Amino acid sequence: MSDAFDLLVGPIGCLVTCDAPAPRLAEALKELPVIAGGAVGVRDGVVAYAGPYSDVSDAPAKARLDASGRTVLPGLVDPHTHIPFLGDRSSELVMRLQGKTYMDIGRAGGGILSTMGAVRRATREDLLASARKAAAGLLSHGVTTFEAKSGYGLEVDAEIKQLEVLQDLASEGAQSVVPTFLGAHFVPPEFRDRPDDYVDLLCDVLLPEVARRGLARFCDVFCEEGAFTLQQSRRILLAGKALGLIPRLHADEIVDTGGAALAAEVGAASADHLMAASGDGIAAMAEAGVCATLLPGTSFYLRKAYAPARAFVDAGCPVALATDCNPGSSYTTNLLHVATLGVFGLGLMPEEALWAVTLNAAYALREQERAGSITVGKRADLTLWDVPSYVHLFYPYAENPLAAVVCRGRVAWRST
Ligand code: NIG
Ligand code: FE
């Protein structure tokens, strides 16, 4: 007889394990592995059992959670946020609704540069407090693993401060945090007339420091007209890669600058946004196995076209969904709502949207061995939803039917 479970969740009305090899592609995205009357057993923070409840109903367990009539999914994975940030850009929301574009506001010193000012001025403690709040928001929407990044410092000390805050957040919280260096988010005002000197600073000073201190897993670039050119992006991503940082990109968000093809060329884990991606770019990403991380919350919030999600799926490209949680283009921590926009805006089926916020999102972060599915040996990250089946997650919309969240085998959040 094996040791008692630390936690036994069961019986479960509808257990969706998402247990499959990553990434999940094309036709296979239409099917979800579901066990009716299932159970999940946890030991030492990892999944020790996932299967029928009848096989473990009498097993000893130190704690139990009944999920009759409920749906259990893996902890959700958000593969693109801009935590930590602070400041108030609500006036920009009004300007955008009056017809100013996102990039107009950025060029006029608002946008990313407005948040940059707030982040530069903030103490590490204030920035951490705001990051905690955002992480708690994600947790209350079922997110147990999320990507987070720098990119609002745009100078050595403030970029490092953001990444240190992410280290603090990861060490104190229940969720898993995957850090990205995004020094190439925007050219800061000091370098406005000499952007290549800022690229030099990134490649020669910041990237080596970030790599030496192990502060980030990924190096990201905002490859866009008005931000960084294709050539500058390539240079930064390859410099990061040579130092052990995995490339990822903000690509083809507003204009097709060839960012999708660049992602394939440099072996990026993911290219994100992609509303304007070309057919050739999509094919190149599929061929190279680059994850298309789509951000329908950004299309919704900026009132822009949605990315060509069906073309990515049909091309055999891995597809993930993320909040893009940031104070300018998508201010939300509600990943289920983003998945709902994946269904109603991008035209994904509920099954496809759920793979995109679990296993494929973990793949986008190179976390698929540890997260993204309820699989024996992976982290015991679970979400319990007060709905009888996963389709009901999309049936009433803009609700939060979350009942409880388990992070690494411990209950980290409960609805009140
Ligand atoms: O992913 N596109 C660039 N960066 C962010 C927005 C950041 C901001 O507006 O503060 C994005 O949408
Ligand atoms: Fe972003």
Coordinates of all heavy atoms in Angstrom, one line a residue, residues 49 77 108-110 156 179 188 223 239 251 316 330 352 356 393 395:
Y49 N -1.8 10.7 -9.0 CA -2.8 9.9 -9.6 C -3.8 10.8 -10.4 O -4.2 11.9 -9.9 CB -3.6 9.1 -8.5 CG -4.8 8.4 -9.1 CD1 -4.6 7.1 -9.6 CD2 -6.1 8.9 -9.1 CE1 -5.7 6.4 -10.2 CE2 -7.1 8.2 -9.6 CZ -7.0 6.9 -10.2 OH -8.0 6.2 -10.7
V77 N -2.4 28.6 -17.6 CA -1.0 29.1 -17.8 C -1.2 30.4 -18.7 O -1.8 30.3 -19.8 CB -0.2 28.1 -18.6 CG1 1.2 28.7 -18.9 CG2 0.0 26.8 -17.8
A108 N 3.5 60.4 -28.7 CA 3.3 61.7 -28.0 C 3.8 61.6 -26.6 O 3.5 62.5 -25.8 CB 1.9 62.1 -28.1
G109 N 4.5 60.6 -26.2 CA 5.0 60.5 -24.8 C 4.1 59.7 -23.9 O 4.5 59.6 -22.7
G110 N 3.0 59.3 -24.3 CA 2.1 58.5 -23.4 C 2.5 57.0 -23.6 O 3.7 56.7 -23.8
V156 N 19.3 50.7 -17.4 CA 19.9 49.6 -16.7 C 19.2 49.3 -15.3 O 18.6 48.2 -15.1 CB 21.4 49.7 -16.5 CG1 22.0 48.5 -15.7 CG2 22.1 49.8 -17.9
P179 N 10.2 34.5 -16.0 CA 10.6 35.9 -16.3 C 11.2 36.1 -17.7 O 12.0 35.2 -18.1 CB 11.6 36.2 -15.2 CG 12.2 34.9 -14.9 CD 11.2 33.8 -15.2
P188 N 13.9 54.5 -25.3 CA 13.6 55.5 -24.3 C 14.0 56.9 -24.8 O 14.7 57.1 -25.7 CB 14.5 55.1 -23.1 CG 15.6 54.3 -23.7 CD 15.0 53.6 -25.0
C223 N 8.9 44.1 -32.0 CA 9.4 44.3 -33.4 C 8.2 44.9 -34.1 O 7.2 44.2 -34.4 CB 9.7 42.9 -34.0 SG 10.2 43.0 -35.7
A239 N 21.8 38.1 -29.8 CA 22.7 38.4 -28.7 C 22.2 37.7 -27.4 O 23.0 37.1 -26.7 CB 22.8 39.9 -28.5
A251 N 5.3 40.4 -32.3 CA 5.5 40.4 -33.8 C 4.2 40.7 -34.5 O 3.1 40.2 -34.2 CB 6.0 39.0 -34.2
G316 N -1.0 24.0 -38.9 CA -0.3 23.1 -38.0 C 0.6 23.8 -37.0 O 1.6 23.2 -36.5
S330 N -4.3 46.1 -22.9 CA -5.1 44.9 -22.4 C -5.0 44.8 -20.9 O -4.2 44.1 -20.4 CB -4.6 43.6 -23.1 OG -5.5 42.6 -22.7
E352 N -10.4 24.0 -28.4 CA -9.1 24.6 -28.9 C -8.7 25.7 -27.9 O -7.5 25.9 -27.6 CB -9.4 25.2 -30.3 CG -9.7 24.1 -31.3 CD -10.0 24.7 -32.7 OE1 -10.9 25.6 -32.7 OE2 -9.5 24.3 -33.7
A356 N -5.3 26.0 -25.5 CA -4.5 27.2 -25.7 C -4.1 27.9 -24.4 O -3.2 28.7 -24.4 CB -5.2 28.2 -26.7
L393 N -18.1 26.7 -19.3 CA -17.2 27.8 -19.0 C -17.4 29.0 -20.0 O -17.0 30.1 -19.8 CB -15.7 27.4 -19.1 CG -15.3 26.4 -18.0 CD1 -13.9 25.8 -18.4 CD2 -15.2 27.1 -16.7
Y395 N -20.5 29.3 -21.7 CA -21.9 29.5 -22.0 C -22.5 30.7 -21.3 O -22.8 31.7 -22.0 CB -22.6 28.1 -21.6 CG -24.1 28.1 -21.7 CD1 -24.8 28.8 -22.7 CD2 -24.9 27.4 -20.8 CE1 -26.1 28.7 -22.8 CE2 -26.2 27.3 -20.9 CZ -26.9 28.0 -21.9 OH -28.2 28.0 -22.0

